[in-house]
Amino acid sequence: ASLRARPAVVAPIDGTLAAPDGSRARAVAVKDLSATGAALFLAGEEDLELLAHPLLVLTLELPGQSAPSELRASVIWRRRAGTQIL
């Protein structure tokens, strides 16, 4: 099993999710982060357009790091929870 970070709801890891060209950037809260993937909260309908891209860029503001970390990832799973997309 890989190391995993599950930030508290009251202190989420903040991030930005964007299309590969930097367009459609959206603030996201990271629910779960590990070496094999990440789970994010998206705000709603307007974020569905981002999921049409085969590759996305996630920029994370991690505690204790002086500079943001940038990850490039494919969306392999998503689900709707009420008005949020996970």
Side-chain angles (χ1 to χ4, degrees):
S2 65
L3 294 176
R4 173 170 251 108
R6 288 189 177 122
V9 173
V10 294
I13 296 172
D14 294 323
T16 303
L17 189 65
D21 63 2
S23 66
R24 303 195 182 278
R26 300 273 190 248
V28 295
V30 178
K31 176 183 173 211
D32 185 85
L33 181 63
S34 74
T36 58
L40 314 171
F41 285 111
L42 302 178
E45 295 297 324
E46 67 274 7
D47 295 325
L48 286 174
E49 294 174 12
L50 267 175
L51 301 180
H53 293 276
L55 180 73
L56 294 172
V57 178
L58 175 62
T59 304
L60 299 172
E61 303 278 338
L62 296 172
Q65 286 193 336
S66 58
S69 297
E70 185 177 284
L71 309 170
R72 295 184 181 270
S74 299
V75 176
I76 58 169
W77 188 77
R78 63 189 165 273
R79 73 177 167 100
R80 184 180 293 269
T83 60
Q84 293 186 318
I85 301 163
L86 304 176

